[in-house]
Amino acid sequence: MKSLSPLEQALHAARALVLADLVAGDVAEADVVSLVEDSVTQRRWWVEQWPDGVEYVAGLIAQDVQDALLERYGRWPLCPVCGSGDPHALDVEPELGPDPHWVCGKAGVKVAAVGSLGRATGGTRSS
Ligand SMILES: [Zn+2]
């Protein structure tokens, strides 16, 4: 057996991070999980064309899933920081870079790393 290539490891990790955030938001339904799989498939092709982008796949898959959810379900993930005003979704920053985070564009704060949304929305925020 060959061990997983760095690309497959990165895709596997990215998939796990985005799924963790979907679980945190209670939207990890079977058809939503298939959206993640679709994105992983597309990003595998994308990184094969551009291997330097391997660090960026977690942020990209998070954004792919966010876009796909917006069409089918609505905004995800909802901002847990702003208590009042219109509910709004968090954004991934950087859009194309390593170490992606969910940020609230309104309050201008980093909410959580992609994959750690459960800790941010779990009610207790460590300072
Ligand atoms: Zn906000």
Side-chain angles (χ1 to χ4, degrees):
M1 287 286 284
K2 267 200 317 183
S3 59
L4 287 177
S5 68
L7 165 58
E8 289 302 326
Q9 284 177 29
L11 288 169
H12 192 81
R15 180 181 177 281
L17 290 174
V18 175
L19 283 176
D21 285 347
L22 289 166
V23 169
D26 265 337
V27 285
E29 314 274 334
D31 51 344
V32 174
V33 172
S34 80
L35 297 176
V36 180
E37 303 295 350
D38 289 349
S39 172
V40 168
T41 302
Q42 286 172 25
R43 294 302 172 183
R44 176 181 291 116
W45 179 87
W46 181 84
V47 180
E48 281 166 1
Q49 316 308 307
W50 189 45
D52 287 349
V54 68
E55 285 185 283
Y56 309 163
V57 291
L60 289 168
I61 291 171
Q63 290 169 82
D64 288 347
V65 172
Q66 185 172 38
D67 289 348
L69 281 172
L70 186 59
E71 282 171 25
R72 296 177 195 212
Y73 294 89
R75 288 178 289 252
W76 173 85
L78 287 178
C79 177
V81 176
C82 304
S84 57
D86 291 333
H88 51 272
L90 300 173
D91 300 316
V92 175
E93 272 188 18
E95 285 181 34
L96 188 64
D99 191 25
H101 281 70
W102 293 111
V103 301
C104 168
K106 239 179 179 175
V109 295
K110 264 189 191 182
V111 175
V114 169
S116 302
L117 214 48
R119 265 168 270 165
T121 55
T124 49
R125 244 186 300 156
S126 57
S127 54

